[in-house]
Amino acid sequence: MDKLLREKEILEAAVKIFAQYGYKKATVDDVASRAGMTKGNLYFFFRSKKELYERTVRYGLQNWRDSIASAIREIGLVEERFYVMALRAYEYLDNHEDLRAVVEKDPAIFSLSPDEDRFHDINLGAMDIMRDILNQGVVSGVFYPMDVNHMTEFLFSVYIMFLIRAYVKSEGSSVSTMYREGLLMMMRGLCRNGFSAPPETA
Amino acid sequence: MDKLLREKEILEAAVKIFAQYGYKKATVDDVASRAGMTKGNLYFFFRSKKELYERTVRYGLQNWRDSIASAIREIGLVEERFYVMALRAYEYLDNHEDLRAVVEKDPAIFSLSPDEDRFHDINLGAMDIMRDILNQGVVSGVFYPMDVNHMTEFLFSVYIMFLIRAYVKSEGSSVSTMYREGLLMMMRGLCRNGFSAPPETA
DNA sequence: ATATTGACTTTTTTACCATAATAGTCAATA
DNA sequence: TATTGACTATTATGGTAAAAAAGTCAATAT
């Protein structure tokens, strides 16, 4: 029973193909042959091209979220946990070329409005991480009192917008500078006792 | 010499037509006859349909900016000036149905990236207003020290994004709640001596 | 039973062309 | 200088045949 493993192999092939050609230009045959099988067999694992694509993107987004979750797990201070989360999540695509290429070719993967977000369930998971941190900050008195749900949505929107500008529109480093400047300002807006950036942790 | 007046009449006709049909479906004949003239004559005032459209949108955006500028002119406290600007600018489209309809049919009017923003020159004017306030806040010591240019770009991006969500995607009141919650947080992030919302001014 | 194939059918995309609709021009003229 | 209407040029639309790709399935190997 290594069907799951085989699926994963297909997804690894698919992300390469979709990264190179985009959803429309990529053919199911391309993916199948890259995965070392025929199209007919690929359909044994996936119902349709659309499902294959969605599973591929999902797989990438889940890894992203998991990577952030584990990056902040050991951090004790709630404000630092938030800060590191915001920076690491933002920088993630720098080291994940394939996913980044897929996103560049399909900007709608990042949607600002929940109802047109095909991957909203995954984003909800990412927002959960953020919401947890905000909640902990509020109950521990480190953060100002706030409507945590609305604040989560607000901050997540800002985060997604800058992802779009940096990676979908490829506006480069000036956007990153702006993001960091804005992040420090927002950290001050969250923390009751002020906030200053911790020293760089390579 | 009332050529400018005649142009303005055409623009008033044009905004109605573009609001109803959008750029593509609207015809130059539609606009001309609404302005009480023939197409041939309209081309005496405007070179092309494209130019007519751009001038129409420009006209709307300039009025918007001017309206905000005069709304905050009398306000003495720098933090209140910023706060009122942010709220008023955001709510402007509520009372300007035509411009709003044009924007809904052509979402690209609001662009997050400067290089694909057809109306960037006007947005620069709007950003100037914001930058001035930030500068005054910093030099007077009301605001934290900051890189004013980057902060202006950051805040303007956030503002545009929420405009898009509220008016282009028509996500309604939940977005407005989120915007206000986020705005208060950012005001705290800007002001060295804290900030709490002033009482409602009808 | 599970996985795989290749030939097969169905659906979608593309390329072409004719036609209609609309953008844009201009000589005449008020 | 402003305006018109008849004119031309360009762009959008709809129909269609060919090509390409999606999706199916009976046969078969593991």
Side-chain angles (χ1 to χ4, degrees):
Chain A
M1 173 50 93
D2 42 23
K3 192 176 180 187
L4 284 177
L5 181 68
R6 202 91 181 86
E7 282 184 13
K8 209 173 146 182
E9 281 172 13
I10 297 172
L11 291 177
E12 303 283 359
V15 74
K16 295 282 183 188
I17 296 296
F18 287 129
Q20 187 170 4
Y21 300 115
Y23 177 75
K24 220 180 151 184
K25 282 282 180 190
T27 71
V28 178
D29 270 316
D30 289 337
V31 177
S33 66
R34 169 129 198 165
M37 62 178 63
T38 59
K39 185 176 54 158
N41 193 32
L42 193 151
Y43 276 93
F44 179 75
F45 296 94
F46 297 91
R47 291 166 196 267
S48 67
K49 183 185 182 184
K50 195 152 177 278
E51 182 191 311
L52 172 63
Y53 181 69
E54 290 222 348
R55 291 278 307 276
T56 303
V57 176
R58 269 204 158 61
Y59 180 64
L61 296 180
Q62 273 157 0
N63 287 340
W64 189 344
R65 189 193 57 195
D66 294 347
S67 159
I68 301 310
S70 78
I72 63 173
R73 192 162 292 138
E74 309 295 333
I75 300 176
L77 297 173
V78 67
E79 68 272 32
E80 194 188 337
R81 206 149 69 244
F82 188 94
Y83 183 73
V84 171
M85 173 197 68
L87 283 184
R88 288 288 159 77
Y90 178 78
E91 290 162 357
Y92 182 84
L93 287 184
D94 286 340
N95 314 312
H96 295 79
E97 282 300 329
D98 288 334
L99 184 58
R100 176 179 175 168
V102 172
V103 161
E104 277 174 0
K105 292 184 172 66
D106 181 9
I109 287 175
F110 293 136
S111 173
L112 290 169
S113 359
D115 50 316
E116 59 188 42
D117 182 0
R118 285 172 287 164
F119 307 99
H120 191 232
D121 53 328
I122 298 185
N123 281 335
L124 284 179
M127 288 172 74
D128 283 342
I129 297 176
M130 190 185 279
R131 188 177 2 250
D132 286 347
I133 301 180
L134 290 180
N135 260 324
Q136 291 156 11
V138 170
V139 299
S140 65
V142 174
F143 290 165
Y144 286 98
M146 66 182 81
D147 179 326
V148 170
N149 286 321
H150 282 129
M151 190 63 78
T152 302
E153 288 187 64
F154 177 89
L155 292 165
F156 197 74
S157 289
V158 173
Y159 160 68
I160 292 289
M161 173 192 57
F162 278 96
L163 277 185
I164 292 172
R165 293 195 60 174
Y167 297 104
V168 177
K169 320 267 188 197
S170 298
E171 291 184 69
S173 63
S174 78
V175 174
S176 302
T177 310
M178 203 192 310
Y179 181 76
R180 280 192 293 271
E181 183 84 13
L183 180 57
L184 286 176
M185 179 271 288
M186 293 194 297
M187 291 304 300
R188 287 197 305 263
L190 291 174
C191 297
R192 294 173 72 177
N193 299 308
F195 180 83
S196 50
E200 280 296 324
T201 51
Chain B
M1 172 52 92
D2 43 24
K3 192 178 180 187
L4 284 177
L5 182 68
R6 203 89 181 89
E7 282 184 14
K8 207 173 148 182
E9 281 172 12
I10 296 172
L11 291 177
E12 302 283 359
V15 74
K16 296 282 184 189
I17 296 296
F18 286 130
Q20 187 170 2
Y21 299 115
Y23 177 75
K24 222 181 151 184
K25 282 283 180 189
T27 71
V28 178
D29 270 316
D30 290 336
V31 176
S33 67
R34 168 130 198 165
M37 63 177 63
T38 60
K39 185 175 54 156
N41 194 32
L42 193 151
Y43 276 94
F44 179 75
F45 296 94
F46 297 91
R47 290 165 196 267
S48 66
K49 183 185 181 185
K50 196 153 176 278
E51 183 191 310
L52 172 62
Y53 182 69
E54 290 220 348
R55 291 278 307 275
T56 303
V57 176
R58 268 204 159 62
Y59 181 63
L61 296 180
Q62 272 157 1
N63 288 340
W64 189 344
R65 188 193 56 195
D66 295 346
S67 159
I68 301 311
S70 77
I72 62 173
R73 191 162 292 139
E74 308 295 333
I75 301 176
L77 296 175
V78 67
E79 67 271 34
E80 193 188 339
R81 206 150 69 245
F82 188 93
Y83 183 72
V84 170
M85 174 196 67
L87 283 184
R88 287 289 159 78
Y90 178 79
E91 290 161 357
Y92 182 83
L93 287 184
D94 285 340
N95 314 312
H96 295 78
E97 282 300 328
D98 289 335
L99 184 57
R100 177 177 175 170
V102 172
V103 161
E104 278 174 359
K105 292 183 172 66
D106 181 8
I109 288 175
F110 294 136
S111 173
L112 290 169
S113 356
D115 50 316
E116 59 187 41
D117 182 0
R118 285 173 286 164
F119 307 98
H120 191 231
D121 52 328
I122 298 186
N123 282 335
L124 284 180
M127 287 172 74
D128 283 342
I129 298 176
M130 190 185 278
R131 187 178 1 251
D132 286 347
I133 301 180
L134 289 180
N135 259 325
Q136 290 156 11
V138 170
V139 297
S140 65
V142 174
F143 291 164
Y144 286 97
M146 64 181 83
D147 178 326
V148 170
N149 286 321
H150 282 129
M151 190 62 79
T152 302
E153 288 188 63
F154 177 89
L155 292 166
F156 196 75
S157 289
V158 172
Y159 160 69
I160 292 290
M161 173 193 55
F162 278 96
L163 277 184
I164 292 172
R165 294 195 58 174
Y167 297 103
V168 177
K169 318 268 188 196
S170 298
E171 290 183 70
S173 64
S174 78
V175 174
S176 301
T177 310
M178 203 192 309
Y179 181 75
R180 280 191 293 271
E181 182 84 14
L183 180 57
L184 287 176
M185 179 270 288
M186 292 193 297
M187 291 305 301
R188 286 196 306 263
L190 291 173
C191 297
R192 293 173 73 175
N193 299 308
F195 180 83
S196 49
E200 279 296 323
T201 51

